[in-house]
Amino acid sequence: MAKKAVASLQKGGGKEYTKVIITTKSAKTGAYTFKESMVHNDNVKEVVATASK
């Protein structure tokens, strides 16, 4: 399934997007959670900056 998603992103305008994975640690359990999102290349720094606050 991942191969199909990557292959479909390589066609046309898919190269303009970056997959951003943000890691957060739960205060209650101490477990890590991951939030994945597809972000336009122009907005990557903004998304990472807001996540690190």
Side-chain angles (χ1 to χ4, degrees):
M1 189 158 138
K3 288 183 180 179
K4 289 182 183 178
V6 171
S8 65
L9 289 174
Q10 294 300 323
K11 297 178 185 174
K15 293 181 182 179
E16 298 174 358
Y17 290 91
T18 303
K19 185 175 191 178
V20 177
I21 303 172
I22 299 170
T23 307
T24 56
K25 188 173 183 179
S26 173
K28 261 187 184 178
T29 63
Y32 287 96
T33 59
F34 302 96
K35 181 180 178 187
E36 298 180 6
S37 59
M38 295 299 292
V39 181
H40 196 270
N41 289 341
D42 297 338
N43 301 330
V44 172
K45 289 184 180 181
E46 296 169 8
V47 171
V48 173
T50 57
S52 63
K53 286 184 180 181

